[in-house]
PDB file of all heavy atoms in Angstrom:
ATOM      1  N   LYS A  56      81.563 113.212 113.075  1.00  0.00           N
ATOM      2  CA  LYS A  56      80.229 112.865 112.432  1.00  0.00           C
ATOM      3  C   LYS A  56      80.522 112.574 110.949  1.00  0.00           C
ATOM      4  O   LYS A  56      81.424 113.181 110.327  1.00  0.00           O
ATOM      5  CB  LYS A  56      79.317 114.174 112.457  1.00  0.00           C
ATOM      6  CG  LYS A  56      77.961 113.891 111.850  1.00  0.00           C
ATOM      7  CD  LYS A  56      77.133 115.147 112.091  1.00  0.00           C
ATOM      8  CE  LYS A  56      75.682 114.937 111.544  1.00  0.00           C
ATOM      9  NZ  LYS A  56      74.838 116.129 111.667  1.00  0.00           N
ATOM     10  N   ILE A  57      79.729 111.630 110.329  1.00  0.00           N
ATOM     11  CA  ILE A  57      79.830 111.279 108.929  1.00  0.00           C
ATOM     12  C   ILE A  57      78.535 111.685 108.302  1.00  0.00           C
ATOM     13  O   ILE A  57      77.563 110.896 108.348  1.00  0.00           O
ATOM     14  CB  ILE A  57      80.160 109.756 108.764  1.00  0.00           C
ATOM     15  CG1 ILE A  57      81.482 109.362 109.538  1.00  0.00           C
ATOM     16  CG2 ILE A  57      80.328 109.390 107.257  1.00  0.00           C
ATOM     17  CD1 ILE A  57      81.680 107.820 109.594  1.00  0.00           C
ATOM     18  N   ASN A  58      78.503 112.837 107.629  1.00  0.00           N
ATOM     19  CA  ASN A  58      77.261 113.384 107.067  1.00  0.00           C
ATOM     20  C   ASN A  58      76.811 112.356 105.991  1.00  0.00           C
ATOM     21  O   ASN A  58      77.584 111.982 105.039  1.00  0.00           O
ATOM     22  CB  ASN A  58      77.564 114.721 106.544  1.00  0.00           C
ATOM     23  CG  ASN A  58      77.765 115.763 107.516  1.00  0.00           C
ATOM     24  OD1 ASN A  58      77.059 115.863 108.607  1.00  0.00           O
ATOM     25  ND2 ASN A  58      78.782 116.618 107.412  1.00  0.00           N
ATOM     26  N   GLY A  59      75.494 112.055 106.074  1.00  0.00           N
ATOM     27  CA  GLY A  59      74.898 111.184 104.996  1.00  0.00           C
ATOM     28  C   GLY A  59      74.872 109.726 105.403  1.00  0.00           C
ATOM     29  O   GLY A  59      74.244 108.905 104.661  1.00  0.00           O
ATOM     30  N   LEU A  60      75.657 109.328 106.467  1.00  0.00           N
ATOM     31  CA  LEU A  60      75.643 107.917 106.807  1.00  0.00           C
ATOM     32  C   LEU A  60      74.406 107.563 107.656  1.00  0.00           C
ATOM     33  O   LEU A  60      74.085 108.276 108.641  1.00  0.00           O
ATOM     34  CB  LEU A  60      76.900 107.625 107.636  1.00  0.00           C
ATOM     35  CG  LEU A  60      77.074 106.185 108.169  1.00  0.00           C
ATOM     36  CD1 LEU A  60      77.193 105.218 107.020  1.00  0.00           C
ATOM     37  CD2 LEU A  60      78.255 106.115 109.096  1.00  0.00           C
ATOM     38  N   LYS A  61      73.709 106.559 107.164  1.00  0.00           N
ATOM     39  CA  LYS A  61      72.482 106.077 107.958  1.00  0.00           C
ATOM     40  C   LYS A  61      72.690 104.757 108.574  1.00  0.00           C
ATOM     41  O   LYS A  61      72.257 104.493 109.690  1.00  0.00           O
ATOM     42  CB  LYS A  61      71.240 105.911 106.938  1.00  0.00           C
ATOM     43  CG  LYS A  61      70.924 107.259 106.201  1.00  0.00           C
ATOM     44  CD  LYS A  61      70.497 108.329 107.151  1.00  0.00           C
ATOM     45  CE  LYS A  61      70.170 109.666 106.511  1.00  0.00           C
ATOM     46  NZ  LYS A  61      69.759 110.711 107.425  1.00  0.00           N
ATOM     47  N   LYS A  62      73.342 103.905 107.833  1.00  0.00           N
ATOM     48  CA  LYS A  62      73.555 102.513 108.447  1.00  0.00           C
ATOM     49  C   LYS A  62      75.042 102.014 108.017  1.00  0.00           C
ATOM     50  O   LYS A  62      75.508 102.335 107.021  1.00  0.00           O
ATOM     51  CB  LYS A  62      72.592 101.538 107.840  1.00  0.00           C
ATOM     52  CG  LYS A  62      71.141 101.669 108.496  1.00  0.00           C
ATOM     53  CD  LYS A  62      70.291 100.574 108.016  1.00  0.00           C
ATOM     54  CE  LYS A  62      68.934 100.575 108.494  1.00  0.00           C
ATOM     55  NZ  LYS A  62      68.882 100.299 110.044  1.00  0.00           N
ATOM     56  N   GLY A  63      75.613 101.328 109.025  1.00  0.00           N
ATOM     57  CA  GLY A  63      77.058 100.838 108.771  1.00  0.00           C
ATOM     58  C   GLY A  63      77.747 100.646 110.107  1.00  0.00           C
ATOM     59  O   GLY A  63      77.105 100.749 111.180  1.00  0.00           O
ATOM     60  N   THR A  64      78.962 100.170 110.043  1.00  0.00           N
ATOM     61  CA  THR A  64      79.709  99.942 111.223  1.00  0.00           C
ATOM     62  C   THR A  64      81.071 100.781 111.071  1.00  0.00           C
ATOM     63  O   THR A  64      81.629 100.663 110.025  1.00  0.00           O
ATOM     64  CB  THR A  64      80.066  98.515 111.438  1.00  0.00           C
ATOM     65  OG1 THR A  64      78.837  97.764 111.441  1.00  0.00           O
ATOM     66  CG2 THR A  64      80.839  98.275 112.660  1.00  0.00           C
TER      67      THR A  64
END
Side-chain angles (χ1 to χ4, degrees):
K56 184 177 182 180
I57 304 173
N58 291 314
L60 179 63
K61 300 300 181 184
K62 287 183 178 291
T64 305

